[in-house]
Amino acid sequence: MKNMMQAISINQWGSADYFQQVNMPVPELDADDVLVKVAYAGINPADWKMRAGHLAQAMPNLGFPLVLGLDASGTVVATGKNVTSLNVGDRVASGTNLFHSGKPGSYAQYVVVNEQRAVKIPESVSLAAAATLTTPATTAWQALFSSEKGALTHGQGKKILINGASGGVGSYAVQFAKQAGAEVATTSSTQNLSYVESLGSDFLIDYKTQDITQRLKSFAPNGVDLILDTVSAGSISNPLDLLKPGGTLISIATITDDGDIEASMALAKEKGVHHVYAMVSEEGMKQQLNKIVAMAAAGELILPPTESFSMLDIAQAHTLMETGKARGKMVLEISH
Ligand SMILES: NC(=O)c1ccc[n+]([C@@H]2O[C@H](COP(=O)([O-])OP(=O)(O)OC[C@H]3O[C@@H](n4cnc5c(N)ncnc54)[C@H](OP(=O)(O)O)[C@@H]3O)[C@@H](O)[C@H]2O)c1
């Protein structure tokens, strides 16, 4: 294996023009890590927010040169001495250690990953699709099922609204909620209606041409049990009023567009409903990922269409991601 690798890094917070391709040492393994030869890096909205400096205060362990990338797929090429669940040669879907230790992310030929953030994938799951799994799918899973978030259990027949159903988090959430026996209404733009329907949505709302509040009345005259908002505060007017008494609004924390969190949680209490801000958590991530990969391997999960960018086109990918209108999931093709 090589000692040096190609990576994409930034040396200051700012625009997508600040990316540069660099040669840097392959990161060193800790005892609980595996070293992955990266095939694809998943590109997430958090990446551009990190690049622009929006997470700089929340993540003081980040330093320059900074290699972004929270998700990856690839092949294990070395294992730390404590690693038991993965072997050299395994194809994996993984997160990275960037968020937790500031180690280089997946916009690189190699990435070190704690084994708890990596799972083996079968041949039937493509490496491109595998790079879209870790952050979006576990965020959706936890938002719906974690006891302190949606607390959804199988067979409750609950009514759920998923706002932003065509995105990375939303497209997994629609499918997980359907598989749990929920009735699912979704919002998306006109061009994504048929995609969201193909994921299993029972009730389509085109937020470009329809009033969400009015339309939702025919789906749930007494309100829905759960709203999963993957978009932002303000994308639905008065979302707490669309809930049944005791219902829950789960807002995926966007960092940039969360509105007044304290005020909204207090208002929810007054109205007899709940408002939870959800951050993806490490807890149970490996088991969740293993379940999700098994569903994909069994053909029970539609993986989002991927749009692939070369390392040289990273600025273009980030600029598109920043619009919030990318279709499917963007991935950076590293080597495969
Ligand atoms: N805090 C955490 O732990 C965490 C984890 C994961 C994600 N996130 C955040 O969650 C958000 C979503 O992430 P993602 O990966 O799903 O993003 P994404 O793949 O870029 O999807 C965003 C989707 O939002 C839809 N959209 C835009 N405006 C809308 C509106 N007004 N109403 C309804 N849908 C709208 C777009 O679809 P249309 O073209 O159909 O409008 C797009 O598909 C991001 O802000 C991300 O940073 C946070």
Side-chain angles (χ1 to χ4, degrees):
M1 210 204 54
K2 300 189 294 184
N3 296 324
M4 298 295 285
M5 65 176 187
Q6 291 287 303
I8 306 275
S9 74
I10 49 170
N11 275 313
Q12 59 182 306
W13 309 122
S15 84
D17 296 333
Y18 291 153
F19 280 118
Q20 48 188 319
Q21 195 157 348
V22 292
N23 206 24
M24 64 190 293
V26 171
E28 285 181 14
L29 271 184
D30 285 336
D32 298 323
D33 290 338
V34 295
L35 182 67
V36 175
K37 182 170 190 283
V38 180
Y40 292 90
I43 305 176
N44 288 294
D47 299 6
W48 76 258
K49 296 173 188 178
M50 287 170 83
R51 189 209 73 225
H54 296 306
L55 279 81
Q57 277 191 328
M59 299 175 66
N61 57 0
L62 296 184
F64 299 117
L66 177 62
V67 177
L68 296 172
L70 297 172
D71 293 338
S73 64
T75 307
V76 174
V77 291
T79 56
K81 67 178 170 46
N82 294 345
V83 171
T84 55
S85 64
L86 294 167
N87 294 301
V88 169
D90 286 346
R91 293 166 85 247
V92 289
S94 79
T96 67
N97 294 353
L98 175 63
F99 230 96
H100 309 271
S101 66
K103 283 224 176 154
S106 53
Y107 291 9
Q109 288 178 312
Y110 294 90
V111 66
V112 287
V113 186
N114 184 293
E115 77 169 314
Q116 293 308 320
R117 297 184 195 114
V119 300
K120 199 171 163 176
I121 54 165
E123 288 295 330
S124 58
V125 175
S126 76
L127 286 166
T132 75
L133 281 171
T134 307
T135 299
T138 59
T139 300
W141 185 279
Q142 294 171 7
L144 290 171
F145 301 122
S146 292
S147 55
E148 74 282 12
K149 295 176 184 165
L152 184 66
T153 56
H154 283 253
Q156 293 168 315
K158 292 207 164 173
K159 289 196 170 183
I160 301 184
L161 170 66
I162 296 176
N163 188 40
S166 62
V169 176
S171 61
Y172 285 115
V174 172
Q175 299 180 77
F176 296 155
K178 281 303 297 172
Q179 283 162 10
E183 263 186 83
V184 178
T186 51
T187 66
S188 71
S189 59
T190 319
Q191 60 165 5
N192 287 325
L193 289 171
S194 57
Y195 171 57
V196 173
E197 189 169 32
S198 76
L199 302 174
S201 171
D202 299 297
F203 190 88
L204 301 166
I205 304 175
D206 177 348
Y207 74 87
K208 293 277 191 193
T209 61
Q210 293 172 320
D211 180 280
I212 299 173
T213 305
Q214 282 307 318
R215 177 119 171 93
L216 203 64
K217 280 185 186 148
S218 351
F219 174 72
N222 302 318
V224 292
D225 298 280
L226 216 58
I227 299 173
L228 175 53
D229 182 8
T230 77
V231 183
S232 60
S235 58
I236 306 176
S237 27
N238 305 318
L240 298 172
D241 295 340
L242 305 181
L243 291 167
K244 263 184 188 164
T248 304
L249 166 63
I250 305 155
S251 296
I252 303 294
T254 67
I255 312 296
T256 44
D257 301 296
D258 293 322
D260 187 337
I261 296 178
E262 300 282 312
S264 184
M265 288 172 82
L267 184 62
K269 210 169 175 186
E270 261 174 46
K271 289 177 181 278
V273 294
H274 310 279
H275 191 177
V276 178
Y277 284 83
M279 292 287 293
V280 66
S281 152
E282 288 290 286
E283 205 181 322
M285 184 178 267
K286 182 144 177 144
Q287 293 94 312
Q288 293 155 12
L289 259 183
N290 270 323
K291 278 188 198 158
I292 293 164
V293 166
M295 286 161 69
E300 293 163 3
L301 193 62
I302 298 171
L303 299 173
T306 52
E307 187 177 359
S308 190
F309 292 82
S310 75
M311 284 171 101
L312 291 175
D313 291 331
I314 186 63
Q316 189 194 339
H318 263 236
T319 305
L320 182 58
M321 174 59 81
E322 217 165 324
T323 65
K325 296 291 171 201
R327 193 156 196 197
K329 283 295 298 179
M330 290 192 279
V331 294
L332 198 59
E333 187 175 343
I334 311 281
S335 69
H336 66 103

